[in-house]
Amino acid sequence: MTLKIISAQEIVFEGEVSSVTLPGTMGAFTVLNNHASLVSTLVAGKITYTDASGEQSRHIEGGLADVDHNVVSVCLY
């Protein structure tokens, strides 16, 4: 699946991942391939994802996540 992490200033990350864990407002959740569509607000915390080079993580202050058709789009505040 494709993960896109975007801020107002830049594209932070765009690439293929096998999983991504996001800090949702109601708690952390993990998205895998073929996940159901969803939209969620995000709180301050850590995004963790697994790409070809292994597990990566990045701290965020909050944002929005949209999951649809194996594309996870994260817009950061």
Side-chain angles (χ1 to χ4, degrees):
M1 87 186 129
T2 302
L3 172 62
K4 298 177 183 179
I5 304 174
I6 303 163
S7 74
Q9 296 80 25
E10 65 181 323
I11 297 173
V12 177
F13 175 84
E14 184 171 359
E16 292 298 309
V17 300
S18 58
S19 69
V20 59
T21 300
L22 301 160
T25 303
M26 301 295 289
F29 62 96
T30 300
V31 178
L32 301 172
N33 203 31
N34 297 318
H35 196 284
S37 296
L38 69 86
V39 175
S40 177
T41 55
L42 304 175
V43 295
K46 185 169 64 169
I47 295 177
T48 304
Y49 55 91
T50 304
D51 62 10
S53 61
E55 187 173 285
Q56 312 292 323
S57 65
R58 182 176 304 273
H59 181 78
I60 65 165
E61 293 301 321
L64 299 170
D66 175 70
V67 179
D68 195 35
H69 293 96
N70 288 323
V71 177
V72 180
S73 300
V74 177
C75 296
L76 302 178
Y77 294 146

